[in-house]
Amino acid sequence: MSGVRRFKPDYRWEEIELLRYKAEESVTFKDVTRQLLFDSADLGCELRYFEVASGGHSTLERHQHTHAVLILRGHGRVLIHDRVFDIAAHDLVTIDRLTWHQFRAAADAPLGFLCMVNKERDRPQLPSDEELAALKRVPEVAAFLGQ
Amino acid sequence: MSGVRRFKPDYRWEEIELLRYKAEESVTFKDVTRQLLFDSADLGCELRYFEVASGGHSTLERHQHTHAVLILRGHGRVLIHDRVFDIAAHDLVTIDRLTWHQFRAAADAPLGFLCMVNKERDRPQLPSDEELAALKRVPEVAAFLGQ
């Protein structure tokens, strides 16, 4: 419905629930929350806000759907396929379909980001042992994932 | 393509062109720029960044498509149908279909905002003289539009 929902302290918003990152607790991620900012039936996409606490990380995963990300808060790094990038506030991150990716917050700051995705989308895939071993053949990736 | 595009000074981004707000100059808006941040063929929506210079305003318009807006920079006010709201960084603004709306930056600061819209969308409609007169029957709206 038309209107304004106010930004509140600690990167919360009026009328928006703080959600678990995923339905189940898992060793595949650490200290991540999720807020669904826009989810209109009239829109083909959703806009979500994820926040990774300092030292935390999202799941290493891939899927058919594309991620369009704008960093809103803090800094950290992102793994995209076999490359690691430093990221900071307002940088844009594109993750194409079927591309392994993981976000990690810095040790001294949270990493908060907006993520636009299609409303209709597939479920994430986790790497097999073989796929994980292949990723780790790149020393930079092994160091990133080993943290 | 997967990767990171850096945020640059003055709310610009790597590889992203600064565009005119609309194709034609017009008296219906003042001092607005547009940058298309995400426009992937794989996504049902686009994410754009608009910036209204201090004292400027967007077009008063309505359309069939919904706007999902997150204020990224500065502050100002937005008209939504017959109400005026103060807006500041990180507030969320929803504008439903066929709802008159206009953004105005404060006199002392630009107003920059992200706007998510469906890739397939209709063209904006401008108010007729009668529709404008009807809007201005609300004193708060008349004061907003008269500035």
Side-chain angles (χ1 to χ4, degrees), chain A residues 35-109:
Chain A
Q35 294 177 75
L36 183 52
L37 304 186
F38 289 104
D39 179 31
S40 161
D42 291 339
L43 288 166
C45 291
E46 296 175 357
L47 191 69
R48 301 93 51 85
Y49 175 74
F50 294 94
E51 191 164 299
V52 184
S54 54
H57 59 82
S58 65
T59 301
L60 173 64
E61 64 185 35
R62 69 179 184 182
H63 32 67
Q64 290 283 350
H65 60 277
T66 296
H67 276 329
V69 166
L70 183 143
I71 309 300
L72 200 59
R73 176 187 199 187
H75 57 102
R77 290 178 304 153
V78 60
L79 170 70
I80 307 176
H81 183 47
D82 59 357
R83 293 188 65 190
V84 176
F85 300 87
D86 290 327
I87 41 178
H90 298 171
D91 284 346
L92 305 174
V93 183
T94 302
I95 297 162
D96 288 340
R97 58 205 299 276
L98 291 182
T99 303
W100 297 112
H101 59 280
Q102 185 178 57
F103 289 88
R104 285 184 178 261
D108 64 347

Side-chain angles (χ1 to χ4, degrees), chain B residues 53-114:
Chain B
S54 56
H57 59 83
S58 65
T59 300
L60 172 64
E61 64 185 33
R62 68 180 184 183
H63 31 67
Q64 291 283 348
H65 61 277
T66 296
H67 276 329
V69 166
L70 184 144
I71 309 301
L72 201 59
R73 176 188 201 186
H75 57 101
R77 290 178 303 153
V78 61
L79 169 69
I80 306 176
H81 183 48
D82 58 357
R83 292 189 64 190
V84 175
F85 299 87
D86 289 328
I87 43 177
H90 297 172
D91 284 346
L92 305 174
V93 183
T94 302
I95 297 162
D96 289 338
R97 58 203 299 276
L98 291 182
T99 303
W100 296 113
H101 59 282
Q102 184 178 55
F103 289 88
R104 287 185 177 261
D108 64 347
L111 178 69
F113 56 90
L114 302 170

Side-chain angles (χ1 to χ4, degrees), chain A residues 1-19:
Chain A
M1 205 178 68
S2 287
V4 175
R5 291 169 293 166
R6 305 272 166 213
F7 184 60
K8 300 196 301 180
D10 298 324
Y11 282 71
R12 297 292 312 276
W13 284 268
E14 277 179 355
E15 301 174 27
I16 294 180
E17 191 181 0
L18 188 69
L19 301 166

